[in-house]
Amino acid sequence: MLQAVTLDLSCFKKEEIDIENIEIKNLITKLVNNYKDIVIGYRRDIHMYPELGHNEVKTSKKVEDILIDLGYEVTTNVGKTGVVGLLKGKKLGRTIAIRADMDALPITENTNLAFKSKNDGVMHACGHDVHTAILLGVAHILMDLKDVITGNIKLIFQPSEETSPNGGAKGMIEDGVLQNPKVDLMLGLHVWPSIETGKVGIKFGTMSASSDRIKIVVRGKNSHASTPELGVDAGVISAEILLALQTIVSRNISSLDSCVISIGKINGGNAYNVVPDEIVLDGTVRTLDEQIRKMIPVKIENLISGITKAMDGSYEFNYLYGYPSVVNDKEITKTVINSINESIGNKNLYEIEKTNLSGEDFGFFAKEVPSTFFYVGCCSPDTPNDKRFPLHNPNLVIDENAITVGLIVMLNSIIDLMK
Ligand SMILES: [Zn+2]
Ligand SMILES: [Zn+2]
């Protein structure tokens, strides 16, 4: 069970609730306020003990214990370290799944938080601690509302979102998380620091980019740096490839479409005075368009093949398909937008016009079942500009008021989608 800053559930004085007499929506607001501190306690505890993808052993155990304690039917080791909680409603209806990711990043935390990471070199810098805590809060409140639940609720605690191309969603799907009972629709959320707390960002259609990995090994031949004519310089060949790759985006793709090819890692060479015989380029390809996604590997290989051949080198090329785009379902998104308007007000609805090219493996779920994914603003409006840090930054501090907003919008959406 949770330790340290976690609140003891037994000290929580739950108010007597008469479901028959109070409107469910008002009840949700009340319950969210009641559970807020407990959920913040969960979040701080998870934040303090972050675990990397597919190693979320302690986090999974905490989730499992809480769900069992609440009375959920719990399945563990789904997709390795994933946990699933099932609540069967009294009336027949659709099965709604809600997903939270649980993994942290290999980043050393640089905040002054009292609940700063105690695991060296590992940090919840993408807010997955908040997602897990919010879903635990949803678990508490839906259990309180179990008498009015229609259909089934499946709470999916997913491991390893950050490990593209081998994220945790795929493994959970392969282990049957969307079956038994069959999931009819799905919801997910992400805290989003570029949106101020209180607001929720959403859009119809494509919500995130596809995120693929590329690895290029360029091979040449060693020689002394003073006699490059006796070798084949893998460094110079790589430099040509690096620049030429950018022409795919600028010359082969319409300027009205979105695509990025970035090489983030270059390794090779052993000495300053030796022509290198091998350089490895690692990078990523992001796009919002499946047709472009299919065309890119062919274009990349054509360039590599032509350049290495012209310069007497050879190559190995691997294109690893990672996460597909998250594409929001029209009908579910319409309902969620209504739920946002009714629960937190239209002024807090942030309709995203253009999505960025971040990747999100919720895309695998959204490919299988109609789904909607939304962003919960988590930057306090009081934060000065130089203290506003993005996700994956060691200085990131998430405004915990976002937890209440996430809970309210998620719970109201679930209730509306049950109808
Ligand atoms: Zn992330
Ligand atoms: Zn994330």
Side-chain angles (χ1 to χ4, degrees):
M1 282 299 287
L2 294 175
Q3 302 147 2
V5 294
T6 306
L7 300 179
D8 180 0
L9 271 175
S10 62
C11 74
F12 172 61
K13 292 186 184 62
K14 200 169 76 179
E15 290 179 35
E16 283 296 310
I17 294 158
D18 184 353
I19 288 166
E20 303 299 322
N21 296 332
I22 311 174
E23 232 187 298
I24 297 176
K25 298 257 170 134
N26 293 334
L27 187 54
I28 286 174
T29 310
K30 206 169 180 180
L31 288 167
V32 167
N33 284 327
N34 283 353
Y35 281 108
K36 194 175 84 184
D37 290 342
I38 289 177
V39 177
I40 288 174
Y42 290 153
R43 185 263 161 154
R44 292 183 180 185
D45 180 79
I46 296 166
H47 188 90
M48 220 184 318
Y49 303 101
E51 294 172 299
L52 293 176
H54 283 138
N55 288 298
E56 309 90 338
V57 180
K58 288 179 182 157
T59 312
S60 293
K61 184 75 176 80
K62 289 171 191 176
V63 168
E64 178 192 343
D65 286 348
I66 293 166
L67 293 178
I68 288 175
D69 212 39
L70 288 172
Y72 280 81
E73 245 176 63
V74 177
T75 315
T76 56
N77 303 319
V78 186
K80 208 170 175 190
T81 40
V83 184
V84 182
L86 178 66
L87 171 61
K88 287 179 179 157
K90 293 207 170 140
K91 291 169 233 159
L92 286 179
R94 301 196 283 186
T95 297
I96 302 178
I98 308 107
R99 173 272 211 171
D101 38 14
M102 301 188 288
D103 58 322
L105 286 155
I107 290 175
T108 301
E109 182 162 353
N110 192 33
T111 72
N112 295 317
L113 295 171
F115 51 90
K116 185 177 168 173
S117 169
K118 284 191 186 298
N119 293 347
D120 271 355
V122 187
M123 175 189 179
H124 268 294
C126 201
H128 299 183
D129 51 339
V130 178
H131 307 164
T132 306
I134 287 177
L135 195 52
L136 288 171
V138 167
H140 273 284
I141 293 169
L142 289 180
M143 192 48 90
D144 283 352
L145 296 173
K146 68 175 188 301
D147 290 339
V148 294
I149 299 285
T150 302
N152 304 304
I153 301 290
K154 214 181 242 191
L155 306 179
I156 298 179
F157 292 86
Q158 184 211 300
S160 207
E161 195 283 325
E162 300 284 3
T163 52
S164 178
N166 301 310
K170 222 175 167 182
M172 290 194 94
I173 293 168
E174 282 163 6
D175 277 0
V177 76
L178 298 177
Q179 306 304 324
N180 201 21
K182 188 179 172 301
V183 173
D184 294 302
L185 62 110
M186 201 152 163
L187 296 173
L189 61 77
H190 206 297
V191 286
W192 214 249
S194 60
I195 303 175
E196 289 189 342
T197 312
K199 294 185 187 297
V200 168
I202 192 165
K203 80 185 279 295
F204 286 99
T206 307
M207 187 73 181
S208 74
S210 57
S211 163
D212 301 329
R213 289 275 288 268
I214 48 175
K215 183 172 183 161
I216 305 162
V217 182
V218 178
R219 296 215 170 85
K221 190 179 149 206
N222 280 139
S223 68
H224 193 279
S226 62
T227 54
E229 73 278 13
L230 299 178
V232 174
D233 193 336
V236 173
I237 300 173
S238 303
E240 292 285 353
I241 290 172
L242 196 65
L243 290 173
L245 287 179
Q246 296 312 315
T247 65
I248 296 175
V249 176
S250 67
R251 301 294 90 176
N252 298 125
I253 292 168
S254 162
S255 56
L256 302 177
D257 289 326
S258 297
C259 179
V260 156
I261 301 176
S262 291
I263 299 294
K265 196 169 147 194
I266 303 170
N267 275 336
N270 291 311
Y272 83 97
N273 57 357
V274 177
V275 165
D277 65 347
E278 186 177 292
I279 301 285
V280 181
L281 308 173
D282 277 297
T284 181
V285 176
R286 311 283 174 112
T287 178
L288 302 174
D289 186 304
E290 273 299 308
Q291 290 310 314
I292 293 175
R293 192 183 187 201
K294 280 187 194 134
M295 175 257 276
I296 295 277
V298 180
K299 289 281 175 196
I300 294 180
E301 183 146 24
N302 284 347
L303 280 180
I304 303 170
S305 152
I307 292 168
T308 46
K309 193 173 175 211
M311 299 175 84
D312 299 325
S314 60
Y315 72 94
E316 237 177 75
F317 172 53
N318 274 306
Y319 192 96
L320 302 164
Y321 282 95
Y323 304 167
S325 288
V326 173
V327 181
N328 278 347
D329 176 81
K330 197 174 165 192
E331 290 307 314
I332 301 174
T333 306
K334 242 190 230 172
T335 306
V336 172
I337 287 176
N338 278 337
S339 309
I340 294 169
N341 283 334
E342 283 176 15
S343 59
I344 59 170
N346 180 260
K347 67 178 193 316
N348 291 315
L349 171 73
Y350 177 70
E351 283 199 68
I352 300 166
E353 274 179 39
K354 286 181 188 166
T355 186
N356 63 35
L357 293 187
S358 61
E360 166 59 66
D361 85 340
F362 186 81
F364 283 113
F365 293 121
K367 241 180 140 176
E368 299 293 323
V369 287
S371 301
T372 289
F373 195 74
F374 55 88
Y375 295 152
V376 177
C378 65
C379 178
S380 161
D382 308 326
T383 314
N385 278 343
D386 64 337
K387 293 276 183 284
R388 294 184 176 213
F389 299 104
L391 296 172
H392 292 212
N393 187 292
N395 299 296
L396 175 72
V397 174
I398 287 169
D399 180 4
E400 288 179 331
N401 290 317
I403 288 175
T404 314
V405 181
L407 280 169
I408 284 187
V409 170
M410 187 56 91
L411 286 157
N412 277 279
S413 302
I414 294 167
I415 296 296
D416 289 337
L417 286 162
M418 249 177 224
K419 288 173 194 166

